[in-house]
Amino acid sequence: MTDVVDPVQLLAALIREPSVTPELHGVFEVLEAALIPLGFTCQRVRFEGDGSYPVDNLFATRGTGGRHLLFAGHTDVVPPGDEAAWRHPPFAAEIVDGTIYGRGAADMKSGIAAFVAAISRAPADGTISLAITNDEEADSVNGTDKLMAWAAAEGHRFDFAIVGEPSATARVGDSIKVGRRGSLNGQIRVTGTQGHVAYPDKANNPLPVAAALMLALSGKLDDGTEHFPPSNLEFTSMDVGNATTNVIPASALLRFNVRYNDRWTPETLVAAIEDVIANQDKRNCAVEFAVAGRPSRSFLSDLGGGIETLIETISRRTGIPPELSTGGGTSDARFIVEYCPVVEFGLPGPTMHKIDENIRLSDLEDLTALYAQFIADYLG
């Protein structure tokens, strides 16, 4: 019989590998050492190109037939910043008073450790796979998106997926994310005519036009939907490159982000923004609008099947049904939903990306137990 994996020891070993995107160090060796004795076949898949850095990914699978459960996550972490500011070294995995410290403790090496430990505890038929990338915290170009396409090309078909990102608010299991808002970044350049402030009649100041556009576009775009909050457009910067007080600038560059619900697509958002711009008084300024980067679409997973079973599992073990949330930013679940229903289910994450990032060991054990029960309930 295979030994049961200790989630605390596995998490500590993962934290000790400083896997800042996209550098692996030894983090995949740690995972393979835990997964292979559990009967998994592990494959490393490397992707590169598309204007981003090369990335190593890990795909592990066990079993054939029956339902196919996928667990997805990332081993990469954000940089620790000023390490002297940490009371506990960011890659030492120090444990003090029932709390483990380290970069990635909350986001999201703990989710991976809990799931691997749960597999070692849960009797299950069916098939289990893990799709682990080391490119979620930065570009997300050569990670989960390409790994899922590769797995599909290899013939893998998934029935349900869990992404182990932090999802809880106050306690493990109080909230799961069943969808995500979309995200679109854009920029608007307003170009006038540079000139001396004492002779405004000989210039054309772009700033009043830029300010009017900001007021016209900012804020709520709708009243929300059944499962999503209102869509919202927020300007994040306005740059004119003007270091003096006696020059009217030639142009202003506005940058913004839209977080949007399932009433919108990137295409309908672009059309709506273009319509607002077209109907503004431009005062003879030129206005150029462009989408920056690749938008992510909103999604809502099928609330039956795996999500229904997960709700029942959490309710039975904690006594309280979880909140079904679509809040927060984006995650790699946006890539997985194209292949199967997906939910984000992990620990509370109040310290993620912070100095002295940490989690409670009791939470790690609770998550492991919930994962193990769900594996047994879903795969039977």
Side-chain angles (χ1 to χ4, degrees):
M1 181 176 178
T2 304
D3 290 338
V4 173
V5 174
D6 183 340
V8 177
Q9 291 183 7
L10 180 54
L11 175 56
L14 292 171
I15 290 173
R16 292 187 187 111
E17 302 297 338
S19 51
V20 176
T21 319
E23 298 301 324
L24 279 178
H25 289 274
V27 72
F28 280 3
E29 282 84 352
V30 171
L31 275 180
E32 288 166 343
L35 288 168
I36 291 172
L38 297 178
F40 281 84
T41 299
C42 298
Q43 291 177 268
R44 296 197 191 189
V45 190
R46 185 176 178 87
F47 301 113
E48 55 187 82
D50 292 325
S52 188
Y53 41 79
V55 173
D56 292 294
N57 304 273
L58 178 66
F59 187 80
T61 191
R62 184 187 77 180
T64 57
R67 285 177 168 173
H68 194 162
L69 174 63
L70 174 69
F71 178 86
H74 63 92
T75 48
D76 64 314
V77 297
V78 296
D82 180 11
E83 296 192 25
W86 288 64
R87 291 182 299 119
H88 305 276
F91 301 111
E94 290 185 351
I95 297 175
V96 180
D97 296 330
T99 297
I100 186 167
Y101 293 84
R103 180 59 85 224
D107 187 14
M108 58 153 283
K109 291 179 175 180
S110 52
I112 295 172
F115 193 81
V116 174
I119 293 168
S120 74
R121 300 180 183 184
D125 298 320
T127 308
I128 301 176
S129 294
L130 290 87
I132 308 297
T133 184
N134 210 57
D135 178 36
E136 193 271 350
E137 296 289 7
D139 288 2
S140 297
V141 168
N142 290 312
T144 300
D145 188 11
K146 291 185 177 181
L147 184 60
M148 292 300 297
W150 172 87
E154 290 289 307
H156 296 283
R157 300 292 181 266
F158 308 105
D159 294 296
F160 185 63
I162 292 177
V163 179
E165 290 278 10
S167 65
T169 53
R171 59 174 179 79
V172 178
D174 65 1
S175 176
I176 59 176
K177 295 186 184 296
V178 296
R180 287 281 194 166
R181 294 176 294 172
S183 177
L184 182 145
N185 292 306
Q187 62 182 38
I188 300 171
R189 183 176 291 279
V190 183
T191 303
T193 303
Q194 189 182 61
H196 197 296
V197 295
Y199 302 95
D201 56 309
K202 299 182 185 299
N204 186 15
N205 196 334
L207 291 181
V209 176
L213 283 170
M214 291 176 71
L215 288 173
L217 289 166
S218 291
K220 291 202 305 182
L221 306 183
D222 54 55
D223 295 322
T225 64
E226 181 181 0
H227 295 287
F228 288 88
S231 304
N232 191 72
L233 188 152
E234 285 295 323
F235 281 90
T236 56
S237 70
M238 178 168 139
D239 303 308
V240 297
N242 191 3
T244 66
T245 59
N246 62 353
V247 175
I248 293 172
S251 67
L253 180 63
L254 313 177
R255 292 185 175 91
F256 64 86
N257 175 267
V258 188
R259 295 299 167 103
Y260 60 94
N261 57 40
D262 51 350
R263 287 189 178 183
W264 301 89
T265 67
E267 293 79 14
T268 59
L269 270 178
V270 167
I273 293 167
E274 289 176 338
D275 186 60
V276 172
I277 293 172
N279 287 287
Q280 289 296 304
D281 181 2
K282 301 176 184 62
R283 301 186 184 186
N284 294 318
C285 288
V287 177
E288 301 171 274
F289 160 59
V291 174
R294 176 185 175 187
S296 61
R297 295 177 180 268
S298 67
F299 72 88
L300 180 70
S301 278
D302 180 358
L303 299 184
I307 289 180
E308 186 175 33
T309 301
L310 180 60
I311 293 169
E312 292 173 355
T313 299
I314 294 172
S315 301
R316 188 168 69 250
R317 288 193 65 93
T318 68
I320 305 173
E323 175 191 0
L324 305 185
S325 170
T326 58
T330 58
S331 79
D332 278 357
R334 69 189 188 272
F335 304 124
I336 298 167
V337 73
E338 298 178 15
Y339 300 89
C340 67
V342 58
V343 67
E344 294 174 49
F345 173 35
L347 295 178
T351 66
M352 56 183 175
H353 293 201
K354 293 184 178 181
I355 291 172
D356 286 321
E357 181 177 348
N358 66 83
I359 62 156
R360 296 186 296 266
L361 297 183
S362 59
D363 285 348
L364 181 64
E365 183 56 46
D366 288 344
L367 182 63
T368 302
L370 280 168
Y371 279 164
Q373 187 62 61
F374 173 74
I375 292 170
D377 291 345
Y378 185 71
L379 296 182

